[in-house]
Amino acid sequence: MEKNRFPILHDFIEKTKSPIERELLNVLPSSPQSPLAIGRAMRYSVMSGGKRLRPLLLVLAHRACGGKGNTVFRVACSIELVHTFSLIHDDLPSMDDDDMRRGKPTCHKAFGEGIAVLAGDALLALAFENLASISNSRAISSETAVRLIAELAGATGAHEMMGGQAADLLHEGKKVSLPRVRRIHEQKTGALIRASLRMGGILAGASERMLARLSGYGERIGLAFQITDDILNLQSTPEKLGKAVQNDLERKKPTYPSVIGIGRSCEAVRRLTDEAKKDAKHFGKFRGHFEEMAEFVASRGN
């Protein structure tokens, strides 16, 4: 990330990303605990890089809602574990059949398809085990833990992320309306981004009004994120993205560019970004963080 372009966000990430990485290493099974390939595959996939956008959003929302302390970094791990689970499964031959992720062989290429499926499943289970264990240690109340678990489960299941992935597969090669594409994007990508922000707010004890504001912001940047991904898949290179390009076109996936073209897709991203930046006024002294985050999400690849 360019410090000159995103100075507030750059400083926040510099202070926040390392504690998240440390907690991820603590939460994941270590080699002595899990000598089998499944443990190695879990660590390989989670620790292979990435922006850590979702846990960063969780921490940002927590701080913006007045949250204090370091428990937030442990909570943030769960959202990244779920995200990585979704990537492992999304890359499988039965799904998008991708060979590269973040510039490295995908999990099923490195460990085999069976181990990749199990590693993804184990990461999903670990995400919820992690939240429960935080409650058991009395770092958060049982009531808060239940709310966090419910939020994450709702964003992950058949009505949201997994449902969106299923709809994405089922609509390949079919003529799809823009509202339907939007809903697929909101489910498969936006739901987890929205949940990241809401979980940070829940942990901080935010009001329902503030949670609604976080939801609105998350919905806008989540959709902008996925439309930008659609555009980059057509216009970028494997070297820049660290994964295959042009495969959306080959598989005739339902995307914004396939329905309204690249020009109008770029306009949609700009509109969503402007709306998200207006939402940022609700977040007090963290307004600049939220404004720059919206711009960052929209400018990936530029």
Side-chain angles (χ1 to χ4, degrees):
M1 175 182 288
E2 301 173 37
K3 185 173 183 178
N4 292 339
R5 191 173 182 187
F6 304 106
I8 301 172
L9 190 58
H10 180 276
D11 289 346
F12 172 77
I13 292 174
E14 285 284 297
K15 295 174 183 176
T16 307
K17 194 171 181 180
S18 291
I20 292 170
E21 299 284 347
R22 285 196 298 271
E23 287 295 340
L24 282 168
L25 286 170
N26 289 334
V27 169
L28 287 163
S30 63
S31 296
Q33 292 174 319
S34 183
L36 300 176
I38 186 173
R40 296 198 303 274
M42 291 165 72
R43 292 175 72 86
Y44 173 86
S45 298
V46 174
M47 304 310 297
S48 64
K51 296 175 287 297
R52 307 300 189 206
L53 174 67
R54 291 152 191 82
L56 286 168
L57 284 170
L58 192 152
V59 177
L60 177 57
H62 179 256
R63 299 307 194 216
C65 293
K68 308 289 184 183
N70 295 326
T71 301
V72 65
F73 300 119
R74 179 76 178 272
V75 172
C77 290
S78 286
I79 206 86
E80 188 68 7
L81 296 176
V82 170
H83 175 56
T84 306
F85 140 74
S86 74
L87 298 182
I88 292 174
H89 282 204
D90 195 41
D91 290 336
L92 289 169
S94 58
M95 299 281 278
D96 284 353
D97 195 14
D98 283 322
D99 294 345
M100 300 296 292
R101 170 73 65 178
R102 296 168 176 167
K104 299 178 181 178
T106 49
C107 188
H108 70 273
K109 284 295 180 181
F111 294 91
E113 189 173 347
I115 293 297
V117 171
L118 293 171
D121 292 345
L123 287 172
L124 180 60
L126 182 59
F128 294 101
E129 179 187 349
N130 177 55
L131 291 175
S133 69
I134 299 171
S135 175
N136 290 339
S137 69
R138 301 187 184 279
I140 59 176
S141 69
S142 296
E143 180 183 358
T144 298
V146 168
R147 290 187 69 191
L148 291 171
I149 289 168
E151 189 71 39
L152 185 54
T156 305
H159 293 294
E160 295 294 354
M161 185 179 74
M162 292 188 195
Q165 292 284 22
D168 189 57
L169 286 173
L170 293 170
H171 286 84
E172 285 183 2
K174 297 179 181 178
K175 187 175 181 179
V176 186
S177 68
L178 185 61
R180 187 71 184 113
V181 174
R182 176 174 181 140
R183 180 57 186 146
I184 291 171
H185 285 4
E186 287 171 343
Q187 289 176 292
K188 75 173 189 176
T189 302
L192 202 59
I193 287 176
R194 183 186 67 233
S196 303
L197 290 150
R198 286 181 58 86
M199 288 174 69
I202 289 167
L203 183 63
S207 66
E208 289 300 321
R209 186 178 184 184
M210 181 59 81
L211 290 176
R213 288 169 172 170
L214 289 168
S215 293
Y217 176 86
E219 287 162 7
R220 282 179 260 285
I221 68 166
L223 183 55
F225 185 99
Q226 184 57 54
I227 299 172
T228 301
D229 253 16
D230 294 346
I231 296 168
L232 290 174
N233 189 270
L234 293 174
Q235 294 188 327
S236 192
T237 65
E239 292 74 23
K240 286 183 179 180
L241 285 187
K243 59 182 181 179
V245 298
Q246 300 287 332
N247 50 348
D248 285 354
L249 188 63
E250 293 168 7
R251 295 174 69 95
K252 297 181 180 179
K253 278 189 167 289
T255 67
Y256 264 62
S258 70
V259 176
I260 60 174
I262 289 178
R264 289 180 63 194
S265 296
C266 291
E267 291 172 7
V269 171
R270 184 71 260 162
R271 183 172 60 255
L272 288 161
T273 303
D274 290 343
E275 290 171 0
K277 288 171 71 175
K278 290 179 182 177
D279 293 335
K281 69 178 182 292
H282 297 301
F283 305 121
K285 65 180 181 180
F286 287 88
R287 176 175 182 168
H289 294 72
F290 283 88
E291 288 176 340
E292 289 191 6
M293 181 64 80
E295 283 289 351
F296 171 67
V297 165
S299 65
R300 290 172 302 124
N302 294 341

